[in-house]
């Protein structure tokens, strides 16, 4: 067994929706990002890469590369999963946390868990999603952006 963790943050910017865990969520802001700015999938990719000892998402999908401009982050997850497969690593479970004042996650929790499980090709009960605020403290508390944390366990063989 190997464990990995990942963290990501994006600033809010103009827009009317966010991508979170591959799910489009209507919101009063968008995020500033080179790709679709899906913090949850970016944190998940880093957790998967960390578990495999393969560095981080910036090394594999640099934001200086025009190929990834506006890219659906689901593509990053699929590419990372293929890297793990090539090393005979499979995902046991993923525990995800969104940290933001808004949007509220509860109404989207099930859809996000299902989509992340689909991307990871694991049963939905292997994906857990939590959400918290920072009690209005700091940049997240001022709703200047959104953060996510991911922890994954992978098994060898
Ligand atoms: Mg990111």
């Amino acid at each position: 067994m190997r464990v990995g963790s990942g963290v990501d943050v994006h600033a809010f910017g103009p827009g009317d929706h966010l991508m979170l865990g591959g799910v489009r969520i209507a919101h009063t802001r968008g995020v500033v990002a080179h790709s679709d700015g899906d913090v949850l999938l970016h944190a998940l990719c880093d957790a998967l890469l960390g578990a495999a000892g393969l560095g981080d998402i910036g090394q594999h999908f640099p934001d200086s590369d025009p190929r990834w401009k506006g890219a659906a982050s689901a593509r990053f997850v699929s590419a990372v999963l293929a890297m793990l497969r090539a090393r005979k690593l499979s995902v046991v479970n993923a525990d995800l946390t969104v940290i933001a004042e808004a949007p509220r996650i509860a109404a989207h929790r099930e859809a996000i868990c299902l989509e992340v499980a689909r991307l990871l090709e694991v049963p939905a009960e292997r994906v857990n999603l939590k959400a918290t605020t920072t009690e209005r403290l700091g940049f997240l508390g001022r709703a200047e952006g959104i953060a996510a944390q991911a922890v994954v366990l992978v098994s060898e063989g």
Side-chain angles (χ1 to χ4, degrees):
M1 296 283 191
R2 300 173 64 117
V3 70
S5 74
V7 171
D8 194 36
V9 175
H10 280 272
F12 285 137
D16 63 1
H17 73 280
L18 308 173
M19 294 302 293
L20 269 183
V23 174
R24 184 186 170 107
I25 294 174
H27 190 47
T28 51
R29 318 289 308 280
V31 294
V32 179
H34 185 70
S35 67
D36 67 0
D38 190 324
V39 284
L40 202 50
L41 293 190
H42 294 179
L44 176 62
C45 283
D46 264 353
L48 292 166
L49 289 167
L54 289 171
D56 67 29
I57 190 172
Q59 291 173 256
H60 295 280
F61 311 103
D63 62 10
S64 55
D65 189 332
R67 265 187 305 169
W68 312 121
K69 186 166 171 53
S73 297
R75 288 173 56 196
F76 302 155
V77 177
S78 296
V80 169
L81 200 61
M83 291 178 213
L84 266 64
R85 285 248 166 78
R87 289 161 179 78
K88 303 215 181 315
L89 295 171
S90 59
V91 176
V92 176
N93 74 302
D95 186 20
L96 312 173
T97 306
V98 173
I99 310 164
E101 291 296 325
R104 294 291 172 170
I105 300 304
H108 309 285
R109 189 190 306 270
E110 190 177 350
I112 291 171
C113 285
L114 284 172
E115 179 61 10
V116 171
R118 190 186 70 80
L119 291 171
L120 292 178
E121 298 175 27
V122 298
E125 51 92 16
R126 299 294 185 98
V127 177
N128 188 72
L129 176 64
K130 307 186 299 294
T132 189
T133 68
T134 59
E135 299 289 346
R136 300 184 182 273
L137 295 169
F139 70 94
L140 294 166
R142 293 188 296 273
E144 293 169 6
I146 184 168
Q149 181 183 52
V151 175
V152 300
L153 190 68
V154 303
S155 68
E156 297 159 287

